[in-house]
Amino acid sequence: MKLSEPLENYLKEIYELEESKGRAKVVDLISSFNISPGTISKALFRLEQMGMIDRGEGGMRLTEDGRRVAERLVRAHRLSERLLTDVLGVDWVRSHELAHRLEHIWPEDVLDRIDEVLGRPRTCPHGHPISGRAKMNGELLANAVTGPYRVSAILKEEEWILRGADKLGLRPESAISVKREGDLIYLMQEGRDILVPTELAKQILVRAERDERA
């Protein structure tokens, strides 16, 4: 059976949930796609029948076939984002939205060519690994202490998160200076302390500069 675009989207989301949380749950999919439990239940039943996922009490996981499809989609999505931002100059919010459509249409040989032309990038513009060339490591900005850090990745690529991060200069590989006061996180920029909204700080992965290796 041929996978429809919505079913491919579910596989990709399961993959990314496994990547970020270690496992995927039905409630996560309902939240991500803003759909009814009945709709997701039917979709998961189809994916299970097609041998793309295994389901259990703790959630679901991709089978070997499901992972192969999901990895192709994720690679296509992240390379599309790189193409749009690095070559065409599209902003990183719109590039993420457009990549959702492009990921379904690129043939494998075209993807290989895009990868080559881009110089085989390690991550997408938001810091997520491409083809296992990098790892998302570090800690949440919300948990950081006072000191110098470097941004590793933006966890959830939602518009409000990307726009908020961009406004504060929280792009991957950007050097930042953090000041912590109780539960509040500030960025020290040009002599000013700029408050980072708590919910935004929970979506930014950073690594301490003192842990950097030359």
Side-chain angles (χ1 to χ4, degrees), residues 168-183:
L168 294 176
L170 295 170
R171 283 179 170 262
E173 297 309 315
S174 295
I176 59 173
S177 185
V178 173
K179 179 180 178 181
R180 185 177 194 96
E181 292 186 357
D183 292 332

Side-chain angles (χ1 to χ4, degrees), residues 123-129 135-139 149-155 170-174 176 204-208 212:
T123 71
C124 79
H126 315 116
H128 294 248
K135 289 186 177 180
M136 288 173 61
N137 53 48
E139 62 181 309
Y149 288 83
R150 191 168 293 274
V151 178
S152 293
I154 313 300
L155 295 180
L170 295 170
R171 283 179 170 262
E173 297 309 315
S174 295
I176 59 173
I204 311 296
L205 199 65
V206 298
R207 59 188 188 275
E212 292 282 275

